[in-house]
Amino acid sequence: AEAAAVAAAVSPPPRVYSEREVAAAMGRVAPRAILDALAAGFTSYSQGRVSVPPIQTLGQPPLGRFSGDSKGDGQACIKSAYEEGGEVFVAKVASGGGGNNSGLVLVFSQRTFAPLAVLLDGGLLTELRTAAAGALAASLFAPAEPHHIAVIGCGVQARYQLGMLAAVTPCRAVRLWSRRPEQARALAAELDGGPAGWAAEVAPSAEAACRGAGIVLTVTPARSG
């Protein structure tokens, strides 16, 4: 009887989702649904119903550097939170450096305290959440019909930001600038003629890209041009 009770108390192993499975699930969710969920989360946080411990950062001063961090930008951030009265609590590890990003998300039950899921997202959920937060801010504060959108930095996050912005603004005119002109040209070619209807051009400078813009996306870790 005791052995049976112990067996009954053992939780099933968590479901493990690969990066490919996470990406496929992300593609099935409409941007508007993502924005609505994020807005609900911000509302709960503002009302004091979300508990968020301080972020734990590894690999950066005052802690020691990671052994493979040759550029000095390697770090891992551990973030966690839960909504009081909710069903789960979540911990995320977002790591990266030297142009590489990775990470995972751990989902636990608030009732049994057992792990429910491991999302090996490779940082995809961080990219999506960051872009969704920007689009949500634009939906609340940006002009209803901006002249154009300026994009400073033309990497992965620029693509996510524009993908989410398409759901909240009718503007499709984009001016791009990057410290690496080839990145700006590649993004412009990718956007032009795409399904979202973007009309992209490469600006000669960050100032030129931003001049007259109704929305400015700064999606680069660079501190200077």
Side-chain angles (χ1 to χ4, degrees):
E2 183 177 346
V6 171
V10 175
S11 299
R15 170 71 189 273
V16 179
Y17 294 86
S18 68
E19 184 174 335
R20 179 176 297 180
E21 290 175 305
V22 172
M26 288 167 53
R28 291 192 293 268
V29 183
R32 188 71 255 178
I34 295 171
L35 293 171
D36 289 345
L38 192 66
F42 283 142
T43 299
S44 293
Y45 177 79
S46 297
Q47 294 173 343
R49 294 188 284 113
V50 176
S51 294
V52 184
I55 299 172
Q56 183 180 359
T57 301
L58 309 179
Q60 288 291 310
L63 302 181
R65 301 285 190 185
F66 291 139
S67 57
D69 183 16
S70 60
K71 295 185 177 181
D73 62 349
Q75 65 177 3
C77 295
I78 304 172
K79 305 177 181 180
S80 54
Y82 59 95
E83 184 173 14
E84 296 174 21
E87 293 298 322
V88 300
F89 64 95
V90 177
K92 179 184 79 170
V93 180
S95 57
N100 298 312
N101 293 310
S102 190
L104 55 80
V105 177
L106 306 174
V107 183
F108 293 80
S109 168
Q110 282 198 40
R111 299 186 182 277
T112 67
F113 317 112
L116 301 176
V118 179
L119 310 179
L120 302 174
D121 71 305
L124 293 179
L125 290 172
T126 295
E127 299 282 7
L128 180 63
R129 190 222 68 88
T130 302
L136 182 60
S139 71
L140 296 171
F141 303 116
E145 296 186 2
H147 177 266
H148 73 274
I149 300 167
V151 182
I152 308 303
C154 297
V156 173
Q157 183 57 207
R159 291 162 170 80
Y160 274 95
Q161 290 273 349
L162 289 171
M164 294 302 298
L165 270 179
V168 302
T169 178
C171 180
R172 292 297 182 267
V174 181
R175 293 181 186 173
L176 309 169
W177 183 82
S178 173
R179 292 195 304 171
R180 296 171 56 186
E182 67 274 13
Q183 280 194 331
R185 291 192 295 266
L187 180 55
E190 183 181 319
L191 293 173
D192 275 336
W198 297 110
E201 62 177 280
V202 177
S205 66
E207 180 182 358
C210 295
R211 190 178 300 120
I215 299 173
V216 177
L217 303 180
T218 52
V219 283
T220 172
R223 297 179 180 271
S224 65

